[in-house]
Amino acid sequence: MKLYKIKKSNIDKKGRGLYATKDIKEGIRIIDYIGKIITKKQTEETEKFDNAKPIYLFNLNKKYDMDGDVSWNPARLINHSCTNNCDYNGTGLKLWVIAIKDIKKGEEITADYGFGYDEDYKQFPCKCRSKKCCGYIVRSESRWRINKKFSIGQQKLNK
Ligand SMILES: [Zn+2]
């Protein structure tokens, strides 16, 4: 039995998400993240990675990226959350999604898209509705730049 099922997402109202089909313990590999392996040169030359944030594009190594925007990659449906319960992990040319905390049956599986903080961040509002939501899809290390709520944590980090 798969650890996930696809259904309408609570985060992305227009889209779908992955949901846990049973309780999942921290550290469990939930799903492989698969896609087309392309060279950095192809990434540079492909228009679709030009303007839009490369949500589905992963840096594998100096030479290759993975484009996960393919219909046969259900992991592409995982939504971003400011209190994500999963993370992307990988080695070599393989990627997967791993639970970073215990997940209850029926919970939506979420990850941190890891977007950097730049002038475009307002294009990507976050609708995860968690108490710690900073309002935008930005990687956790950069959220303090948007919302002062997070600055205390950041100061601690800098010490
Ligand atoms: Zn959020």
Side-chain angles (χ1 to χ4, degrees), residues 145-157:
R145 295 178 190 269
I146 296 170
N147 192 323
K148 295 234 160 52
K149 253 190 331 199
F150 302 95
S151 61
I152 297 156
Q154 183 64 25
Q155 281 159 12
K156 272 185 200 152
L157 272 176

Side-chain angles (χ1 to χ4, degrees), residues 60-81:
L60 294 172
N61 56 35
K62 271 191 226 158
K63 205 167 169 208
Y64 295 106
D65 289 328
M66 186 185 288
D67 174 13
D69 186 20
V70 292
S71 59
W72 31 278
N73 176 29
R76 79 189 189 286
L77 299 172
I78 292 173
N79 288 298
H80 171 96
S81 169

Side-chain angles (χ1 to χ4, degrees), residues 45 114 129 145:
E45 288 165 358
R129 291 186 296 173
R145 295 178 190 269

Side-chain angles (χ1 to χ4, degrees), residues 6-17 19 56 77 79 108 123 125 127:
I6 297 167
K7 61 174 204 173
K8 220 173 150 288
S9 171
N10 283 323
I11 294 173
D12 178 4
K13 297 283 183 208
K14 281 173 263 164
R16 293 174 294 171
Y19 283 79
Y56 306 107
L77 299 172
N79 288 298
E108 180 158 1
Q123 283 179 46
K127 301 199 170 69

